[in-house]
Amino acid sequence: MSITRILCSLAWLLTIVTSSAQTTPYKIFLIGDAGDDEMTTQTLDSLHSIISRNPNSAVFFLGDNSYRNALNGLMPFGYKGFDSSAETQSKVRSQLAIMSGYKGAAYFVPGNHDWWNIMNFKRGRPKLKMEENFIEQNLALNTTIQNPGNTYMPKNGTPGPEAVELNNGKIKVIAIDTYWLIMLQFKQNPAENRAYEKVFYHNLDSLLADGTAKKQKIMIVCHHPVYYQRYRNPPPIWMVPARIGMSDLSFPSYKRMSAQINDILKKYPGVYFAAGHMHAIQYHYTGNIHHIISGAGSRLIHVPAKKAAQTPANTANDCIFWNDKGFFEVAFYPDHENITIYHDEGRQKTDLSTLSGGEIKSHNYDNLPCR
């Protein structure tokens, strides 16, 4: 074979490899509030099946990674998280198990239950750290994931923001601990609170500005959404204990956190804000920001069928599933992204790009009806 023919063959192979790399997306999978099942359920099994076929990816668990009911179920609401009991170990292992053989990256972020809904940093941090150590130590033994032993974000009960770059630096994911920010209200020194907030929000803004300057795709992952749809109004704050009220967007410190984050997000159109907390599946595109709520990993808000069937006020940009478990997939291509919702325990999927009549372009997210 002549040198010219060899060079032409190599050029042809390089073209094929380059073309394949350009059309193969990097996928991020998002599932939250998956900590209530001691066995790996259909929802997690479905996620395992999908991520196993997509090694060029990362999966993020969006908080409330373990639940344990208060007083062994004698109270009408649960508030504990991971306590290293056999029950809570099983609940966390049910999530760790789906990473068996997975060749992508895996991350966990904390939620209010992982802090045990405690309103005091000193008391809550050891509870959170117990869960962090258990997850990190177990995933350090995983021989296939890309980031063994470095899977909990932010670390050590700090608020973040903590960033990781994926897909050869093309994607920046920023993890924040929203419950840490909500707890600030219960510190005794208001001036100190403002100082903590100032540093946090400055650092968050800086990371977003850096990612924008580098033309990276940016996603923020956390537990509490800063925009979502309710199916009914909450009771007045004075009627509920503070540890319960703190989990609602109308609670003063939650409301303050949301307002400050949304003010920053206005400067960075196209950012994905992914959270759990609401035990439902929601997608909203508002203010040029993609709000993903993926909080139906193991728990659901049971909404009456008639109410669940009602479309939200802004139907063009909203997608809501109340009574289905599931998770999200965001596929990042070089020139666009596709968002897919896997729901009804993974047996169905809603591809928002298909519903909009074609691929979702990163600069055009109009007319995205859910059904």
Side-chain angles (χ1 to χ4, degrees), residues 30 50 75 103 120 130 142 159 205 212 225 235 256 264 310 371:
L30 302 160
I50 293 167
M75 296 292 287
K103 296 181 180 179
N120 177 285
M130 189 188 312
N142 186 303
D205 197 334
T212 301
R256 175 183 173 84
I264 293 173
Q310 294 177 2
R371 307 174 195 275

Side-chain angles (χ1 to χ4, degrees), residues 95-369:
Q95 297 157 79
L96 302 180
I98 73 167
M99 264 76 80
S100 177
Y102 174 50
K103 296 181 180 179
Y107 298 94
F108 287 76
V109 300
N112 51 290
H113 278 272
D114 306 306
W115 280 91
W116 282 30
N117 280 353
I118 288 172
M119 298 177 287
N120 177 285
F121 289 111
K122 187 175 181 180
R123 290 179 53 235
R125 188 172 283 114
K127 312 299 185 183
L128 179 68
K129 188 64 179 176
M130 189 188 312
E131 176 186 283
E132 178 184 335
N133 289 341
F134 183 80
I135 290 173
E136 294 260 308
Q137 290 167 10
N138 278 274
L139 285 182
L141 304 176
N142 186 303
T143 59
T144 60
I145 62 171
Q146 296 175 3
N147 58 325
N150 187 32
T151 54
Y152 210 91
M153 298 171 63
K155 296 187 181 302
N156 300 315
T158 54
E162 184 176 328
V164 60
E165 294 188 341
L166 304 171
N167 195 27
N168 298 316
K170 296 181 178 67
I171 301 171
K172 184 191 293 291
V173 179
I174 303 168
I176 63 177
D177 187 339
T178 46
Y179 194 68
W180 192 100
L181 295 167
I182 292 170
M183 274 196 291
L184 271 181
Q185 171 154 333
F186 297 95
K187 290 180 68 65
Q188 298 301 310
N189 189 335
E192 186 181 21
N193 297 355
R194 299 295 181 266
Y196 279 129
E197 284 185 332
K198 184 176 181 180
V199 170
F200 172 84
Y201 291 115
H202 169 78
N203 291 342
L204 178 61
D205 197 334
S206 296
L207 284 173
L208 289 166
D210 177 70
T212 301
K214 294 176 179 176
K215 298 183 178 180
Q216 294 173 312
K217 300 296 182 182
I218 305 172
M219 179 179 288
I220 296 173
V221 293
C222 60
H223 182 64
H224 295 82
V226 295
Y227 181 94
Y228 62 82
Q229 289 280 353
R230 297 185 181 95
Y231 88 94
R232 65 182 178 189
N233 292 326
I237 288 298
W238 59 267
M239 290 183 61
V240 294
R243 66 165 70 239
I244 306 302
M246 286 168 68
S247 294
D248 189 87
L249 187 55
S250 61
F251 192 76
S253 59
Y254 190 162
K255 190 173 183 178
R256 175 183 173 84
M257 174 198 70
S258 299
Q260 292 187 89
I261 289 177
N262 280 319
D263 281 345
I264 293 173
L265 291 177
K266 290 176 184 176
K267 299 162 57 178
Y268 303 101
V271 168
Y272 288 82
F273 192 94
H277 191 56
M278 287 286 291
H279 298 157
I281 301 168
Q282 300 187 15
Y283 169 79
H284 307 281
Y285 183 66
T286 180
N288 296 317
I289 300 299
H290 307 277
H291 290 275
I292 289 173
I293 296 97
S294 186
S298 67
R299 286 188 168 189
L300 292 174
I301 297 173
H302 295 287
V303 179
K306 181 178 179 180
K307 190 69 177 179
Q310 294 177 2
T311 55
N314 185 10
T315 56
N317 298 306
D318 289 319
C319 183
I320 298 175
F321 291 99
W322 287 115
N323 296 317
D324 285 339
K325 294 181 183 178
F327 52 90
F328 275 79
E329 168 194 297
V330 183
F332 292 88
Y333 292 85
D335 60 348
H336 68 278
E337 299 93 51
N338 279 359
I339 305 169
T340 303
I341 299 171
Y342 294 87
H343 56 97
D344 191 16
E345 296 193 334
R347 291 189 291 273
Q348 302 177 37
K349 69 177 181 178
T350 295
D351 187 336
L352 298 187
S353 63
T354 300
L355 290 174
S356 65
E359 292 176 337
I360 301 178
K361 302 299 182 183
S362 58
H363 60 279
N364 181 10
Y365 284 78
D366 294 333
N367 302 316
L368 297 180

